[in-house]
Amino acid sequence: MKEKLQAILQEALTATQSVQTQQEAEELKVRYLGKKGELTAILKQMGSLSAEERPVVGQMANEVRAQIETAVREKLEIIKEKAIEQKLAAEALDITMPGKSNKQGRLHPLNTVLDDLIDIFQSMGFDVVDGPEVETDYYNFEALNVPADHPARDMQDTFYLGENLLLRTQTSAAQIRTMKKRKPPIRIICPGRVFRADEVDATHSPVFHQVEGLVVDKGITMCDLKGTLEQFAHEIYGPETKVKFRPSFFPFTEPSVEVDVSCSECGGKGCRVCKGSGWIEILGAGMVHPHVLSECGIDPEEYSGFAFGIGLDRLTTTRYKISDIRLLFENDIRFLEQF
Ligand code: DAH
């Protein structure tokens, strides 16, 4: 019987070593230690033993039971630890994996410059007004002192939509709409898209942007025009920027000027940005023509005013050193992401 017990112990210990799963361990326990297990079966035969042998074999059986139990418990612990290790390994975060970036939108450079421009003029007391992109001939030309057969129409190649309907070639139409609606004092700017049938190249686009400005009040002079536009140029390009007023012609202003600023890239020496001249033209302006005032029901004897039209695209390309105006309209993400 002792030998049988020894044999069971050896067998059970060997079997325990090859156990792989928790279930196998439980089954093994039942096989050797359960009610119908092999050890129990031996113990049932204890009755046939002599009185001296019984306690000896009994003690031995207890030891065998204890050893098998310990071996199975230890094996179970190892199995559980392994399971935890495997689970941890499977759930581990790979912190070297590249993250998912959240794409953030940003303002188009034209809008950034426009926002700055609006801030500057609002701080000088200007209101922002809006006007239609589809205009009538009257607002775009006629009321601006450009009658049907006037050669000045050749200055702006126009997209006509019908006999009297067109895509506005200039935001100046907003001057007329404003003066017909409001009484002086008037101080407005009108930003917007304008359209001309121009060939596309690095500096021309059939769609571009202007910001119209208009001031009408008693006693407005060329000095007000100069002071306002100089202030604007200094705020946009910096206080060291030089501002030049050149005589020019527009049918709706008299006198008329064009305004250049010293090139911020080369400081006036001449470079690629200013095409070697040292100057960059940024706007047209002038004293509102008396015909235009009276057409809008404002007495030119009592009131005077100045107006200006800023080229927003030029302002933007020179500020960001953009070499081709087409980049502003192509909406290439690789370009826009740089701002
Ligand atoms: N509308 C003119 C253009 O497109 C720009 C301009 C010049 C606007 C003089 C004005 C102005 O208001 O007074 O070329």
Side-chain angles (χ1 to χ4, degrees):
M1 225 167 169
K2 282 183 193 164
E3 275 138 37
K4 268 197 185 163
L5 281 173
Q6 272 307 322
I8 287 177
L9 178 61
Q10 281 319 314
E11 210 188 294
L13 291 183
T14 319
T16 310
Q17 271 174 15
S18 57
V19 157
Q20 299 283 355
T21 65
Q22 201 169 340
Q23 197 189 347
E24 278 172 20
E26 300 293 349
E27 280 168 10
L28 191 130
K29 217 166 144 186
V30 172
R31 172 140 57 91
Y32 291 100
L33 310 176
K35 273 187 191 153
K36 292 175 185 161
E38 298 189 19
L39 192 64
T40 319
I42 302 263
L43 292 179
K44 277 183 184 153
Q45 297 164 21
M46 291 270 279
S48 63
L49 292 177
S50 67
E52 297 100 62
E53 271 181 325
R54 221 176 284 159
V56 180
V57 173
Q59 199 192 344
M60 195 178 163
N62 281 340
E63 274 165 17
V64 167
R65 166 182 289 276
Q67 277 191 52
I68 296 177
E69 270 175 352
T70 309
V72 173
R73 195 179 340 106
E74 278 171 6
K75 189 73 193 183
L76 266 173
E77 260 160 36
I78 292 172
I79 289 171
K80 276 185 194 155
E81 257 168 40
K82 253 197 200 152
I84 290 173
E85 263 168 34
Q86 271 172 7
K87 199 168 175 219
L88 282 179
E91 286 175 358
L93 292 178
D94 180 0
I95 56 168
T96 64
M97 289 233 307
K100 274 190 208 157
S101 66
N102 276 334
K103 289 233 168 176
Q104 205 178 15
R106 45 198 96 193
L107 285 181
H108 191 285
L110 279 171
N111 281 327
T112 307
V113 174
L114 178 58
D115 284 352
D116 288 355
L117 188 149
I118 287 174
D119 275 351
I120 293 168
F121 280 106
Q122 274 181 337
S123 76
M124 294 196 254
F126 284 71
D127 284 348
V128 179
V129 304
D130 202 9
E133 290 178 350
V134 174
E135 262 300 0
T136 62
D137 188 274
Y138 175 78
Y139 285 106
N140 194 82
F141 287 127
E142 205 152 333
L144 285 162
N145 212 19
V146 188
D149 51 0
H150 198 285
R153 292 219 175 187
D154 292 346
M155 289 166 77
Q156 302 178 356
D157 224 341
T158 310
F159 288 114
Y160 283 93
L161 302 174
E163 207 179 324
N164 281 314
L165 222 50
L166 46 82
L167 293 178
R168 68 176 171 195
T169 58
Q170 48 188 353
T171 45
S172 302
Q175 290 186 26
I176 309 302
R177 289 185 176 275
T178 304
M179 284 192 280
K180 290 203 176 230
K181 258 192 292 210
R182 298 192 188 184
K183 297 222 150 18
I186 291 170
R187 249 186 269 173
I188 57 103
I189 55 169
C190 173
R193 283 197 290 191
V194 296
F195 307 85
R196 289 184 201 174
D198 285 338
E199 289 289 333
V200 181
D201 63 26
T203 53
H204 292 87
S205 161
V207 186
F208 56 103
H209 301 80
Q210 289 186 334
V211 181
E212 192 72 15
L214 174 70
V215 172
V216 182
D217 202 352
K218 285 181 180 154
I220 297 290
T221 70
M222 196 81 181
C223 280
D224 298 301
L225 177 155
K226 254 193 108 191
T228 305
L229 295 178
E230 262 170 10
Q231 169 83 8
F232 160 72
H234 286 153
E235 292 207 33
I236 279 277
Y237 286 104
E240 68 292 342
T241 304
K242 291 195 215 77
V243 184
K244 182 164 80 175
F245 291 78
R246 267 186 298 114
S248 185
F249 170 78
F250 298 103
F252 34 88
T253 48
E254 182 58 37
S256 303
V257 291
E258 276 175 311
V259 177
D260 300 342
V261 292
S262 55
C263 177
S264 54
E265 174 70 6
C266 61
K269 284 192 216 82
C271 69
R272 202 170 45 91
V273 174
C274 57
K275 299 211 176 85
S277 73
W279 295 95
I280 292 167
E281 184 197 320
I282 56 165
L283 60 88
M287 301 306 292
V288 180
H289 199 291
H291 283 178
V292 176
L293 290 175
S294 47
E295 176 66 32
C296 297
I298 293 173
D299 182 358
E301 297 294 328
E302 199 181 349
Y303 291 101
S304 56
F306 69 86
F308 53 91
I310 301 170
L312 188 61
D313 311 87
R314 177 70 68 85
L315 230 52
T316 306
T317 52
T318 53
R319 170 182 307 180
Y320 293 115
K321 304 186 178 58
I322 298 167
S323 55
D324 194 321
I325 191 179
R326 285 171 284 199
L327 288 164
L328 294 176
F329 304 109
E330 283 165 353
N331 284 332
D332 185 330
I333 295 282
R334 292 167 301 179
F335 168 75
L336 295 176
E337 271 175 352
Q338 298 173 41
F339 298 93

